[in-house]
Amino acid sequence: MQGISLFDLAEKLNGAVLGNGDCVIFGVETLENASMRDLSFLSKEGYKRYLPLLRRTEAGCVLVDKAKKLELEALSLKTNLLFVDNPSEAFQKGLELFCKASPTTSFSGIHPTSVIHPEAVLSKGVSIGPYAVIEAGASIGKDTQILAHSYVGTNAKIGENCLLFSHSVVREGCILHNRVILQPGCVIGSCGFGYLTSEKGEHTKLSQLGIVVLEDDVEIGANTTIDRARFQETRIKKGTKIDNLCQIAHNVSIGEGNLIVSQTGIAGSTTTGSFCVFAGQSASVGHLKIAPKTTLAARGAFSKSIEEPGGIYNGAPAIPIKEHNRIQAHLRRLEGYVKRIGELEDKIKAIEEAKVCS
């Protein structure tokens, strides 16, 4: 692999070098495992936590926040530094310089084992992989790739430059806008969970006749499921990223730019505003409205709507995170509280007994 000098790297990443600009970098690595041949980074978010690793790292160069320049210059570190606006973003660009991704597929064009209904419409540059199935009335936008064993249902519409990894499913009538990515095994348009239960306890399935709409630049993680609406639509708005193993129920509307992390479940007819964050294993009950820029911490669960934007919540049911943290701090001291209460009860009992005796 051809190396890049720090001077050249600084130009590519729009940074400023502190140290030996002639040092040559050949790859990327973590602070803990890096050698003199490697580029690493210290993110803004992890600055305090990983600063001890920066002091010990053997990395040839570390990308750091230029706002910390004076502080880091005073440490006399043994590694070279490259000051940038955003170390995480610059490291991603560096990663792309040193590590070339493998192609998503070795196949191009329409594979002979794929099954494409004659009434399906394929635009210019579409690629259909082995054993994929495209049903009647489906339309595929230009330069979209549909990889092996994927399924596109009747009358589904998929936009331009989309990427459907293997075993992904887009069921009948569902709509994907442009540049949508479906990771392996995800299911778009599965039936919403709805049944009528008789007095005898017998369950009759409700027809799920709506669709799912994924807007531009949405990405759905592996084995995530998004249910079709009962009669209207489930919608994921543009720029939202949903992790693996999530469940989005019927009639949900997810706002623009949301981040929904693994194993999150959002129940039916809930609406989220723009730029909300649901951390891992979090949840919401149905029919709620969540204000924009709301964050729900890991394993938190909303049981009521959130009206004020920008809040951070945790717990089940979720409460403001500062209140939640205070409660957790008290719970950690619970055994001591019980002991103190017992001691106080003994003292009160002794005082009362003394009064009786006197």
Side-chain angles (χ1 to χ4, degrees):
M1 181 185 296
Q2 186 174 359
I4 303 176
S5 74
L6 283 192
F7 284 136
D8 290 339
L9 196 59
E11 185 175 349
K12 292 177 183 296
L13 301 182
N14 193 27
V17 176
L18 176 65
N20 178 15
D22 294 320
C23 175
V24 179
I25 300 297
F26 293 89
V28 294
E29 193 44 277
T30 64
L31 284 171
E32 191 171 15
N33 297 321
S35 72
M36 281 300 297
R37 294 166 58 89
D38 295 321
L39 173 72
S40 192
F41 78 108
L42 178 60
S43 69
K44 291 181 180 181
E45 297 78 10
Y47 182 79
K48 290 183 178 180
R49 181 178 179 181
Y50 293 106
L51 186 58
L53 277 179
L54 179 65
R55 296 173 183 271
R56 302 194 302 269
T57 188
E58 299 292 331
C61 178
V62 179
L63 296 162
V64 291
D65 181 7
K66 69 180 184 181
K68 302 291 185 181
K69 189 173 188 294
L70 292 177
E71 180 179 338
L72 291 173
E73 284 177 339
L75 295 180
S76 300
L77 299 167
K78 58 184 178 181
T79 184
N80 301 302
L81 299 179
L82 188 56
F83 294 102
V84 293
D85 289 328
N86 188 324
S88 297
E89 184 177 300
F91 186 73
Q92 178 60 34
K93 293 179 181 177
L95 187 67
E96 293 168 0
L97 289 173
F98 292 107
C99 303
K100 302 301 180 184
S102 298
T104 55
T105 179
S106 302
F107 301 103
S108 60
I110 310 302
H111 195 273
T113 63
S114 62
V115 180
I116 302 173
H117 195 280
E119 295 179 10
V121 178
L122 275 56
S123 299
K124 182 180 178 181
V126 167
S127 176
I128 309 292
Y131 302 103
V133 175
I134 313 297
E135 292 273 15
S139 64
I140 315 296
K142 69 177 184 178
D143 297 325
T144 283
Q145 297 181 72
I146 298 177
L147 274 55
H149 293 277
S150 293
Y151 174 83
V152 178
T154 307
N155 298 323
K157 291 178 170 52
I158 297 178
E160 300 177 0
N161 292 291
C162 294
L163 176 57
L164 279 60
F165 281 96
S166 59
H167 295 279
S168 55
V169 172
V170 180
R171 278 189 50 182
E172 62 276 11
C174 293
I175 299 172
L176 279 57
H177 290 188
N178 302 318
R179 299 175 300 281
V180 171
I181 298 174
L182 303 184
Q183 295 293 341
C186 74
V187 179
I188 307 302
S190 47
C191 286
F193 190 75
Y195 296 86
L196 291 175
T197 302
S198 70
E199 293 180 356
K200 295 181 180 180
E202 297 171 336
H203 307 301
T204 302
K205 185 177 180 62
L206 293 171
S207 297
Q208 304 291 318
L209 304 177
I211 63 171
V212 173
V213 179
L214 307 183
E215 295 185 2
D216 290 349
D217 302 303
V218 165
E219 181 168 357
I220 308 298
N223 294 320
T224 281
T225 55
I226 302 179
D227 290 348
R228 66 196 312 111
R230 185 177 177 190
F231 58 90
Q232 294 178 325
E233 64 179 33
T234 301
R235 181 174 287 264
I236 313 298
K237 295 186 179 179
K238 67 180 182 180
T240 282
K241 314 297 182 183
I242 301 179
D243 198 1
N244 306 331
L245 296 168
C246 293
Q247 159 65 13
I248 309 298
H250 57 189
N251 293 96
V252 166
S253 177
I254 302 296
E256 295 182 11
N258 279 207
L259 293 174
I260 299 178
V261 185
S262 182
Q263 298 185 2
T264 290
I266 299 181
S269 299
T270 288
T271 299
T272 73
S274 301
F275 308 112
C276 292
V277 176
F278 286 76
Q281 296 186 327
S282 59
S284 170
V285 303
H287 300 271
L288 301 187
K289 294 186 183 299
I290 308 301
K293 298 183 179 180
T294 296
T295 296
L296 179 59
R299 295 189 174 183
F302 285 129
S303 61
K304 61 182 181 180
S305 294
I306 303 297
E307 298 179 357
E308 294 295 324
I312 305 175
Y313 298 83
N314 201 357
I319 56 178
I321 194 165
K322 289 183 178 180
E323 181 181 350
H324 174 269
N325 290 345
R326 284 198 300 270
I327 291 171
Q328 292 302 308
H330 289 314
L331 287 173
R332 286 194 292 271
R333 301 186 186 101
L334 187 59
E335 187 174 355
Y337 293 153
V338 172
K339 182 179 179 181
R340 287 176 59 190
I341 290 170
E343 292 171 349
L344 290 170
E345 287 177 337
D346 290 342
K347 289 181 180 179
I348 292 170
K349 184 177 179 180
I351 292 171
E352 291 175 344
E353 289 176 349
K355 286 182 179 178
V356 171
C357 292
S358 62

